């Protein structure tokens, strides 16, 4: 997979580019590095081995183990106020984004969903709602088509709460705090059947091969240390014909909007974080990690590298958010 | 299925070939070209895979070996499998999901079709049209070889339209839904294209080689006949659609007679005009306006 690191061109925001060494050993980069200082940095990284492999944490550079720990701590801190902050930062638009993701997914009864980095369960709840609504629609149509229907039959059709006919959503997250909040929400909202909560690392999923119809990861993949590994795990656990869906912040191409968005992100969001959740640094990390994530086309190339076909993306809100979709064929 | 799952190397080769094709298409500058170079070197370094890589890259039409197929072929197979679920589910993505499941893929694969039911209907129509073309070509060959008698135009048209409409019979219950799907704005260009190629094929095999205005008028009339007969068919409840074929007979006879009646109308018109002129001159004579004093 040397080519994938070569394809991954670094777009920086006025910061000295750090080398993002993937899990494969250092290779001779085919992109010529300009400046001898960077070549020295690269050579030093190459020779020192595992402990010195770095990842980006926002605009900082940390070692890989540290990144995982720091991300864990960030989400541990924000878990309790996660949903409130989402509404405040996006002015409620994140609900529309998640609804769009579900519409693209178009679940059918009987589908198995793996909601990775599912945390508080937004996607899974919507999935179950969608599937149950479809089940109810089908039951109604079936009842209408019966020639002579007794009142008893009609009452049965409408009374029986459809279980989704085997549709199941598994919420997987590395962070136990987020899952706790999610379980609490599920109880409050009344989702008792069809949900499972699993602690797991997106880079090493605790599931068997070929076990899910849809793998979705909403606003989680930029927190993963090794994105390619997460994509390969996604490819592994999906059934043949299964769909990979990723909802993630991305790049705005329009320069004016982009500048407005930057101003909003860097000036307002950490302040909101401090005021509402009492945590400036976590939200600083959030905004920085968005800037570090590859843009739409590069991420599409990464998904194709992992072995997915018919990879497409669509921008929502002018590119603030993008839905990437791929199929395991 | 796409690559044979048991052989990973084969899968990687196709994957690389797909990447080669994609990278070739995308207009990226240096990083992409250098990584393409790396791909090529990596693939050529592994001995036995080289020839397969080159073949896969060259034959993008789908002849990539028994284990490979393109995405379009896979989509075609899923849609063909989905047709048997149409009577139950209608022309919807549910039918496509069921079709995907019979092919061993998850129901989520129905998401591949961005146009949903439209893709299914258009696939069915193009399948029907190619079947009709094949059978007409077969008949034509028989006539060329002298094994069959050439048919008259109206008989040929009648049989071709009937054969094409008979292909709808298994799905006639849901056909109105399909017709409405074809009328959606995003599907109109494709459905018109299919209809025009159908009509063109039928007239070509009927022996039409005209190069004047007749070309257009003939195709226009046949399009009219085909569409109206289709509409009659979806409302027909007679045994084996006899009313439909009777309607078709009448329409074709009208078209055939039209050519004769056109000439008759013209000569009648001329006669009428001359009669009126004669009456006008007689009137003028009677009133004395023609006399010169």
């Amino acid at each position: 997979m040397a080519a994938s690191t070569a394809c991954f061109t670094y777009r920086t925001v006025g910061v000295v580019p750090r080398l993002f060494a993937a899990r494969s050993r250092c290779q001779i980069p085919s992109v010529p590095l300009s400046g001898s200082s960077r070549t020295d940095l690269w050579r030093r990284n190459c020779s020192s081995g595992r402990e010195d492999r770095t990842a980006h944490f926002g605009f900082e550079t940390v070692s890989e183990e540290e990144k995982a720990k720091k991300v864990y701590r960030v989400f541990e801190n924000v878990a309790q106020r996660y949903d409130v902050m989402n509404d405040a930062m996006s002015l409620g638009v994140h609900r529309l984004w998640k609804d769009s993701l579900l519409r693209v997914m178009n679940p059918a009864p009987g589908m198995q969903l793996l909601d990775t980095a599912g945390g508080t369960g937004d996607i899974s709840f919507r999935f179950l709602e969608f599937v149950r609504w479809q089940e109810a629609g089908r039951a109604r149509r079936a009842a209408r088509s019966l020639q002579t229907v007794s009142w008893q039959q009609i009452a049965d059709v409408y009374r029986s709460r459809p279980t989704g006919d085997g549709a199941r959503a598994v919420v997987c997250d590395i962070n136990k705090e987020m899952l706790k909040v999610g379980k609490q929400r599920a109880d409050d909202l009344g989702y008792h059947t069809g949900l499972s909560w699993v602690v797991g690392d997106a880079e090493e999923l605790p599931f068997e091969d070929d076990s899910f119809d849809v793998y979705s990861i909403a606003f989680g993949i930029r927190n993963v240390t090794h994105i390619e590994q997460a994509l390969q795990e996604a490819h592994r656990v999906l059934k043949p014909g299964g769909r990979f869906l990723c909802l993630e912040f991305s790049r705005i191409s329009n320069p004016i909007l982009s500048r407005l968005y930057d101003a909003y992100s860097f000036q307002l969001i950490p302040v909101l974080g401090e005021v509402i959740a009492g945590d400036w640094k976590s939200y600083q990390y959030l905004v920085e990690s968005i800037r570090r994530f590859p843009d739409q086309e590069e991420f599409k190339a990464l998904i194709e590298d992992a072995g997915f076909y018919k990879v497409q993306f669509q921008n929502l809100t002018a590119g603030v958010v993008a839905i990437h979709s791929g199929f395991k064929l | 299925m796409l690559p044979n799952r048991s052989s990973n190397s084969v899968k990687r080769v196709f994957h690389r070939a797909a990447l080669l094709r994609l990278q070739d298409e995308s207009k990226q500058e240096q990083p992409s070209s250098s990584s393409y170079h790396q791909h090529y070197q990596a693939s050529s370094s592994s001995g036995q895979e080289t020839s397969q890589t080159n073949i896969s890259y060259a034959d993008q039409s789908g002849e990539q070996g028994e284990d490979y197929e393109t995405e379009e072929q896979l989509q075609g197979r899923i849609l063909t499998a989905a047709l048997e679920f149409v009577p139950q589910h209608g022309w919807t993505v549910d039918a496509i999901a069921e079709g995907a499941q019979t092919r061993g893929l998850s129901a989520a694969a129905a998401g591949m079709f961005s146009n949903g039911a439209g893709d299914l209907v258009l696939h069915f129509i193009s399948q029907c049209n190619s079947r009709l073309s094949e059978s007409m070509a077969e008949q034509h060959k028989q006539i060329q070889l002298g094994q069959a008698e050439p048919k008259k135009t109206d008989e040929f048209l009648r049989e071709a339209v009937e054969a094409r409409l008979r292909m709808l019979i298994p799905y006639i219950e849901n056909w109105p839904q399909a017709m409405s799907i074809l009328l959606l704005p995003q599907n109109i260009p494709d459905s018109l294209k299919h209809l025009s190629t159908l009509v063109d094929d039928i007239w070509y095999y009927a022996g039409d080689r005209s190069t004047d205005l007749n070309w257009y008028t003939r195709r226009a009339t046949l399009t009219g006949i085909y569409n109206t007969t289709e509409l009659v068919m979806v409302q027909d409840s007679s045994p084996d659609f006899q009313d439909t074929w009777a309607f078709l007979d009448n329409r074709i006879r009208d078209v055939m007679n039209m050519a004769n009646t056109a000439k008759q109308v013209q000569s009648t018109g001329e006669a009428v005009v001359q009669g009126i002129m004669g009456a006008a001159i007689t009137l003028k004579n009677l009133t004395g306006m023609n006399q010169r004093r």
Side-chain angles (χ1 to χ4, degrees), chain B residues 73-136:
Chain B
Q73 283 183 328
L74 178 67
Q75 284 185 297
R77 285 204 301 145
I78 294 178
L79 289 177
T80 311
L83 286 177
E84 64 180 87
F85 295 97
V86 165
Q88 186 191 355
H89 291 283
W91 300 91
T92 55
V93 277
D94 290 339
I96 303 181
E98 296 282 334
Q101 284 180 320
T102 56
R103 287 275 164 216
L105 298 174
S106 142
M112 270 199 293
F113 303 99
S114 47
N115 201 6
D119 280 335
L120 184 58
V121 178
L122 288 170
H123 172 84
F124 173 65
I125 287 189
S126 71
Q127 231 185 11
C128 288
N129 289 354
S130 25
R131 267 164 55 193
L132 182 70
S133 292
E134 276 169 21
S135 79
M136 287 198 295

Side-chain angles (χ1 to χ4, degrees), chain B:
Chain B
M1 247 24 90
L2 276 165
N4 190 352
R5 207 151 287 115
S6 58
S7 55
N8 274 325
S9 61
V10 156
K11 182 161 143 181
R12 252 186 289 125
V13 161
F14 176 58
H15 186 45
R16 233 175 265 134
L19 283 174
L20 283 171
R21 185 166 35 137
L22 289 160
Q23 283 186 337
D24 218 31
E25 287 169 0
S26 62
K27 294 178 178 49
Q28 287 175 8
E29 62 295 337
Q30 199 198 1
S32 141
S33 60
S34 49
S35 52
Y36 167 84
H37 197 54
Q38 266 193 328
H39 266 301
Y40 195 73
Q41 283 180 335
S43 61
S44 56
S45 63
S46 48
Q48 172 232 355
E49 292 173 353
T50 314
S51 52
Q52 280 181 316
T53 316
N54 289 337
I55 292 175
S56 327
Y57 181 57
D59 292 338
Q60 288 178 24
S61 58
E63 318 283 336
Q64 298 186 3
E66 306 94 45
D67 288 348
Y68 305 112
E69 62 177 352
T70 60
E71 290 166 5
E72 289 80 19
Q73 283 183 328
L74 178 67
Q75 284 185 297
R77 285 204 301 145
I78 294 178
L79 289 177
T80 311
L83 286 177
E84 64 180 87
F85 295 97
V86 165
Q88 186 191 355
H89 291 283
W91 300 91
T92 55
V93 277
D94 290 339
I96 303 181
E98 296 282 334
Q101 284 180 320
T102 56
R103 287 275 164 216
L105 298 174
S106 142
M112 270 199 293
F113 303 99
S114 47
N115 201 6
D119 280 335
L120 184 58
V121 178
L122 288 170
H123 172 84
F124 173 65
I125 287 189
S126 71
Q127 231 185 11
C128 288
N129 289 354
S130 25
R131 267 164 55 193
L132 182 70
S133 292
E134 276 169 21
S135 79
M136 287 198 295
E138 192 52 45
Q139 273 184 22
H140 189 70
K141 206 169 61 160
Q142 297 285 333
I143 294 175
Q144 299 282 31
L145 294 174
Q147 292 171 7
E149 288 299 317
K151 294 200 201 111
K152 288 173 43 182
T153 315
D154 55 348
E155 206 186 307
F156 181 87
L157 291 180
R158 191 201 177 291
E159 280 188 11
V161 175
E162 183 181 337
R164 176 61 176 79
L165 288 174
R166 279 197 183 271
M167 296 182 198
L168 301 179
I169 291 181
Y171 308 101
I172 200 70
E173 293 289 319
N174 308 92
W175 193 246
Q177 184 189 11
M179 285 166 70
S180 61
I181 289 173
L182 287 175
L183 285 174
L184 288 172
Q186 71 259 27
N187 293 329
I188 284 183
D190 287 319
S191 68
L192 279 182
K193 191 180 61 156
H194 284 302
L195 181 61
S196 59
T197 45
L198 169 72
V199 166
D200 196 24
D201 276 345
I202 295 179
W203 265 118
Y204 177 78
Y205 284 111
D208 174 46
R209 300 286 182 273
S210 54
T211 49
D212 54 356
L213 201 63
N214 276 331
W215 193 92
Y216 293 97
T217 54
R218 285 191 179 137
R219 276 150 188 75
T221 52
L222 186 58
T223 311
I225 294 174
Y226 179 80
N227 282 337
T228 48
T229 315
E230 197 182 4
L231 282 171
V232 168
M233 194 173 171
V234 296
Q235 300 170 58
D236 193 5
S237 49
S238 61
D240 197 34
F241 300 94
Q242 281 161 9
D243 291 347
T244 312
W245 313 135
F247 178 87
L248 178 60
D249 279 337
N250 291 336
R251 295 290 76 71
I252 292 190
R253 205 176 311 129
D254 287 346
V255 167
M256 290 297 129
N257 289 341
M258 221 165 54
N260 297 340
T261 44
K263 276 193 226 104
Q264 282 179 1
V265 161
Q266 201 181 18
S267 57
T268 313
E270 278 171 12
V272 164
V273 163
Q274 280 178 354
I276 294 176
M277 288 296 289
I281 292 173
T282 312
L283 209 57
K284 277 166 81 176
N285 286 340
L286 284 176
T287 54
M289 277 162 57
N290 258 357
Q291 286 180 2
R292 289 214 306 189
R293 293 193 194 274

Side-chain angles (χ1 to χ4, degrees), chain A residues 127-140 162:
Chain A
F127 174 82
L128 290 173
E129 266 307 309
F130 203 109
V131 166
R132 282 170 194 177
W133 185 82
Q134 282 209 329
E135 263 295 306
R138 282 195 194 172
R140 252 180 281 130

